[in-house]
Amino acid sequence: MLTALAIAVDGLGFAAWLFLSSVGLTLIYGVMRILNIAHGGFYALGAYSSAWAIGLYTQTGSTIALTYLIIPVAALVAGVVAGLLIERGILRFMYGRDEVLMVLVTYAIFLILEDVTKLIWGTESYVAYQPAYWLGTIDVFGIPYTVYKFMIIGIALALGLILFIVLNKTRIGKLLLVVIEDREVSSALGINVTLFFTVTFVIGATLGALGGALTAPEISVSPGIGAEIIVMAFAVIVIGGMGSIGGAMIGALIVGLARAASVHIYPPAELFSIYLVMAAVLAVKPYGLFAMAEGRKI
């Protein structure tokens, strides 16, 4: 019973982190049909910006409580600046090209962002543990967990609910669904598709940076974290169905619980548990559990 509880709590914590880190990726693909490998670079930018800003702030000796404001601000600045520069400076010239070419372009951008983080912050690790431990810990049947972990779970649930409401219950969301369905008809109806693309990409980049910023207090921020997250994020959105926000949440939950189960029951399986789950799902549902239906033009 204790093991099952530990698997559930650890799995939910890991799933929340995965959802926060991958939801921007699936949003960009759902609207723009871009398999954005550069998403890992946005995650790294958010993590470095957050850890660096927290480190500077804590050196002043001020209250740790304000670091919870620094985290989203750092993610917002990193995501908006990087997202705008990349979308307006590079990607807008590539719209309508082959999807494989877009993958190569975003991969090149990812490599550039990896070098940018090294140029700005160097190659040393950044540790910003203060926000994660300032809230203290809570015992769940004798197992201690940081309150910060449960806060991330709450943020992930709230973000999922906000995205659902915006996409399904608002006028902007309805227009976005029209753009997703048919870009040409949307343009003919007077919808500014270019603006929707820019805003969507910036929001996706900011969500990726937010995932990194929220994770920074729990890890050692070092070169290579962007490559690690992009692999797991792709696994999540492939399992859930590329372009589906709800699918990303379910995919993150499946992957999180699978990883937690392997850690507690058979640790050697942790390295490939995610890929086993992905292979099993794709064997039954080749396009993911909640893949968006696509119409064919005749």
Side-chain angles (χ1 to χ4, degrees), residues 42 45 77-93 109 113 198 201-202 205:
F42 298 139
L45 283 175
V77 172
V80 170
V81 172
L84 273 176
L85 287 175
I86 291 171
E87 197 280 333
R88 290 286 82 194
I90 301 174
L91 293 183
R92 72 186 181 98
F93 300 107
I109 295 172
L113 291 178
T198 300
F201 192 85
V202 170

Side-chain angles (χ1 to χ4, degrees), residues 251-262:
L253 183 61
I254 292 172
V255 170
L257 291 175
R259 177 185 177 275
S262 64

Side-chain angles (χ1 to χ4, degrees), residues 40-58:
F42 298 139
Y43 175 89
L45 283 175
Y48 270 103
S49 298
S50 177
W52 173 76
I54 291 171
L56 286 182
Y57 174 77
T58 53

Side-chain angles (χ1 to χ4, degrees), residues 127-210:
V127 180
Y129 63 88
Q130 293 88 348
Y133 289 96
W134 187 72
L135 292 175
T137 60
I138 183 173
D139 282 351
V140 180
F141 292 97
I143 305 175
Y145 291 96
T146 60
V147 176
Y148 188 82
K149 180 185 290 289
F150 290 97
M151 187 182 77
I152 289 181
I153 294 174
I155 292 173
L157 291 173
L159 178 61
L161 179 61
I162 291 171
L163 288 174
F164 174 81
I165 292 173
V166 170
L167 291 174
N168 296 281
K169 304 296 182 181
T170 66
R171 182 174 181 273
I172 293 177
K174 300 293 185 181
L175 291 176
L176 185 60
L177 292 177
V178 174
V179 172
I180 293 172
E181 183 65 27
D182 196 311
R183 302 176 190 177
E184 296 177 0
V185 172
S186 300
S187 297
L189 292 174
I191 299 175
N192 191 338
V193 176
T194 300
L195 178 61
F196 269 96
F197 277 15
T198 300
V199 172
T200 298
F201 192 85
V202 170
I203 292 175
T206 303
L207 290 174
L210 179 63

